[in-house]
PDB file of all heavy atoms in Angstrom:
ATOM      1  N   ASP M 203      20.033  11.833   9.179  1.00 62.00           N
ATOM      2  CA  ASP M 203      20.593  12.881   8.317  1.00 62.00           C
ATOM      3  C   ASP M 203      20.288  14.283   8.829  1.00 62.00           C
ATOM      4  O   ASP M 203      20.341  15.242   8.105  1.00 62.00           O
ATOM      5  CB  ASP M 203      20.089  12.713   6.875  1.00 62.00           C
ATOM      6  CG  ASP M 203      18.576  12.708   6.805  1.00 62.00           C
ATOM      7  OD1 ASP M 203      17.940  12.719   7.868  1.00 62.00           O
ATOM      8  OD2 ASP M 203      18.036  12.686   5.687  1.00 62.00           O
ATOM      9  N   TYR M 204      19.955  14.366  10.119  1.00 65.00           N
ATOM     10  CA  TYR M 204      19.678  15.674  10.688  1.00 65.00           C
ATOM     11  C   TYR M 204      20.960  16.502  10.702  1.00 65.00           C
ATOM     12  O   TYR M 204      22.005  16.047  11.138  1.00 65.00           O
ATOM     13  CB  TYR M 204      19.146  15.524  12.111  1.00 65.00           C
ATOM     14  CG  TYR M 204      18.875  16.838  12.787  1.00 65.00           C
ATOM     15  CD1 TYR M 204      17.750  17.586  12.441  1.00 65.00           C
ATOM     16  CD2 TYR M 204      19.740  17.342  13.755  1.00 65.00           C
ATOM     17  CE1 TYR M 204      17.498  18.787  13.048  1.00 65.00           C
ATOM     18  CE2 TYR M 204      19.489  18.554  14.363  1.00 65.00           C
ATOM     19  CZ  TYR M 204      18.368  19.275  14.012  1.00 65.00           C
ATOM     20  OH  TYR M 204      18.119  20.477  14.614  1.00 65.00           O
ATOM     21  N   ALA M 205      20.847  17.748  10.185  1.00 65.00           N
ATOM     22  CA  ALA M 205      22.062  18.535   9.988  1.00 65.00           C
ATOM     23  C   ALA M 205      22.254  19.626  11.043  1.00 65.00           C
ATOM     24  O   ALA M 205      23.202  20.382  10.988  1.00 65.00           O
ATOM     25  CB  ALA M 205      22.044  19.149   8.595  1.00 65.00           C
ATOM     26  N   GLY M 206      21.333  19.691  12.024  1.00 67.00           N
ATOM     27  CA  GLY M 206      21.405  20.785  12.994  1.00 67.00           C
ATOM     28  C   GLY M 206      22.342  20.511  14.158  1.00 67.00           C
ATOM     29  O   GLY M 206      23.117  19.566  14.138  1.00 67.00           O
ATOM     30  N   GLU M 207      22.250  21.314  15.195  1.00 72.00           N
ATOM     31  CA  GLU M 207      23.146  21.206  16.334  1.00 72.00           C
ATOM     32  C   GLU M 207      22.536  20.282  17.394  1.00 72.00           C
ATOM     33  O   GLU M 207      21.327  20.179  17.525  1.00 72.00           O
ATOM     34  CB  GLU M 207      23.387  22.581  16.970  1.00 72.00           C
ATOM     35  CG  GLU M 207      23.935  23.617  16.033  1.00 72.00           C
ATOM     36  CD  GLU M 207      22.853  24.296  15.189  1.00 72.00           C
ATOM     37  OE1 GLU M 207      21.694  24.310  15.623  1.00 72.00           O
ATOM     38  OE2 GLU M 207      23.186  24.801  14.116  1.00 72.00           O
ATOM     39  N   THR M 208      23.445  19.613  18.180  1.00 71.00           N
ATOM     40  CA  THR M 208      22.961  18.694  19.199  1.00 71.00           C
ATOM     41  C   THR M 208      22.264  19.431  20.340  1.00 71.00           C
ATOM     42  O   THR M 208      21.537  18.824  21.106  1.00 71.00           O
ATOM     43  CB  THR M 208      24.103  17.848  19.803  1.00 71.00           C
ATOM     44  OG1 THR M 208      25.121  18.722  20.231  1.00 71.00           O
ATOM     45  CG2 THR M 208      24.620  16.831  18.828  1.00 71.00           C
ATOM     46  N   ASN M 209      22.477  20.754  20.458  1.00 79.00           N
ATOM     47  CA  ASN M 209      21.829  21.441  21.586  1.00 79.00           C
ATOM     48  C   ASN M 209      20.317  21.524  21.424  1.00 79.00           C
ATOM     49  O   ASN M 209      19.616  21.909  22.335  1.00 79.00           O
ATOM     50  CB  ASN M 209      22.453  22.803  21.862  1.00 79.00           C
ATOM     51  CG  ASN M 209      22.273  23.775  20.712  1.00 79.00           C
ATOM     52  OD1 ASN M 209      21.520  23.515  19.775  1.00 79.00           O
ATOM     53  ND2 ASN M 209      22.951  24.896  20.787  1.00 79.00           N
ATOM     54  N   VAL M 210      19.828  21.114  20.258  1.00 84.00           N
ATOM     55  CA  VAL M 210      18.382  21.040  20.082  1.00 84.00           C
ATOM     56  C   VAL M 210      17.806  20.009  21.072  1.00 84.00           C
ATOM     57  O   VAL M 210      16.696  20.132  21.560  1.00 84.00           O
ATOM     58  CB  VAL M 210      18.005  20.712  18.608  1.00 84.00           C
ATOM     59  CG1 VAL M 210      18.245  19.261  18.259  1.00 84.00           C
ATOM     60  CG2 VAL M 210      16.555  21.068  18.326  1.00 84.00           C
ATOM     61  N   ILE M 211      18.624  18.993  21.429  1.00 89.00           N
ATOM     62  CA  ILE M 211      18.220  17.987  22.412  1.00 89.00           C
ATOM     63  C   ILE M 211      17.980  18.632  23.779  1.00 89.00           C
ATOM     64  O   ILE M 211      16.999  18.338  24.456  1.00 89.00           O
ATOM     65  CB  ILE M 211      19.301  16.870  22.520  1.00 89.00           C
ATOM     66  CG1 ILE M 211      19.329  16.049  21.229  1.00 89.00           C
ATOM     67  CG2 ILE M 211      19.063  15.976  23.724  1.00 89.00           C
ATOM     68  CD1 ILE M 211      18.020  15.360  20.865  1.00 89.00           C
ATOM     69  N   ASP M 212      18.868  19.537  24.173  1.00 90.00           N
ATOM     70  CA  ASP M 212      18.694  20.229  25.458  1.00 90.00           C
ATOM     71  C   ASP M 212      17.398  21.029  25.465  1.00 90.00           C
ATOM     72  O   ASP M 212      16.731  21.135  26.489  1.00 90.00           O
ATOM     73  CB  ASP M 212      19.883  21.159  25.724  1.00 90.00           C
ATOM     74  CG  ASP M 212      21.203  20.398  25.706  1.00 90.00           C
ATOM     75  OD1 ASP M 212      21.283  19.360  26.369  1.00 90.00           O
ATOM     76  OD2 ASP M 212      22.140  20.824  25.011  1.00 90.00           O
ATOM     77  N   VAL M 213      17.067  21.568  24.314  1.00 88.00           N
ATOM     78  CA  VAL M 213      15.820  22.337  24.208  1.00 88.00           C
ATOM     79  C   VAL M 213      14.617  21.419  24.454  1.00 88.00           C
ATOM     80  O   VAL M 213      13.725  21.743  25.234  1.00 88.00           O
ATOM     81  CB  VAL M 213      15.710  23.009  22.815  1.00 88.00           C
ATOM     82  CG1 VAL M 213      14.346  23.683  22.654  1.00 88.00           C
ATOM     83  CG2 VAL M 213      16.835  24.020  22.616  1.00 88.00           C
ATOM     84  N   TYR M 214      14.618  20.231  23.826  1.00 90.00           N
ATOM     85  CA  TYR M 214      13.498  19.305  24.022  1.00 90.00           C
ATOM     86  C   TYR M 214      13.420  18.801  25.462  1.00 90.00           C
ATOM     87  O   TYR M 214      12.344  18.616  26.005  1.00 90.00           O
ATOM     88  CB  TYR M 214      13.590  18.121  23.056  1.00 90.00           C
ATOM     89  CG  TYR M 214      13.325  18.510  21.642  1.00 90.00           C
ATOM     90  CD1 TYR M 214      14.205  18.202  20.631  1.00 90.00           C
ATOM     91  CD2 TYR M 214      12.174  19.224  21.325  1.00 90.00           C
ATOM     92  CE1 TYR M 214      13.960  18.588  19.328  1.00 90.00           C
ATOM     93  CE2 TYR M 214      11.929  19.621  20.027  1.00 90.00           C
ATOM     94  CZ  TYR M 214      12.831  19.296  19.032  1.00 90.00           C
ATOM     95  OH  TYR M 214      12.585  19.683  17.760  1.00 90.00           O
ATOM     96  N   ILE M 215      14.588  18.543  26.057  1.00 94.00           N
ATOM     97  CA  ILE M 215      14.608  18.109  27.457  1.00 94.00           C
ATOM     98  C   ILE M 215      13.964  19.184  28.326  1.00 94.00           C
ATOM     99  O   ILE M 215      13.161  18.897  29.222  1.00 94.00           O
ATOM    100  CB  ILE M 215      16.068  17.835  27.931  1.00 94.00           C
ATOM    101  CG1 ILE M 215      16.653  16.611  27.217  1.00 94.00           C
ATOM    102  CG2 ILE M 215      16.119  17.684  29.447  1.00 94.00           C
ATOM    103  CD1 ILE M 215      16.143  15.269  27.699  1.00 94.00           C
ATOM    104  N   ARG M 216      14.288  20.440  28.033  1.00 93.00           N
ATOM    105  CA  ARG M 216      13.713  21.547  28.805  1.00 93.00           C
ATOM    106  C   ARG M 216      12.183  21.565  28.644  1.00 93.00           C
ATOM    107  O   ARG M 216      11.453  21.744  29.605  1.00 93.00           O
ATOM    108  CB  ARG M 216      14.322  22.863  28.319  1.00 93.00           C
ATOM    109  CG  ARG M 216      14.416  23.898  29.404  1.00 93.00           C
ATOM    110  CD  ARG M 216      15.548  24.882  29.165  1.00 93.00           C
ATOM    111  NE  ARG M 216      15.448  25.606  27.920  1.00 93.00           N
ATOM    112  CZ  ARG M 216      16.442  25.737  27.036  1.00 93.00           C
ATOM    113  NH1 ARG M 216      17.606  25.187  27.268  1.00 93.00           N
ATOM    114  NH2 ARG M 216      16.273  26.416  25.932  1.00 93.00           N
TER     115      ARG M 216
END
Side-chain angles (χ1 to χ4, degrees):
D203 56 354
Y204 178 75
E207 303 83 24
T208 52
N209 64 11
V210 75
I211 291 301
D212 303 311
V213 174
Y214 290 127
I215 292 285
R216 211 153 59 229

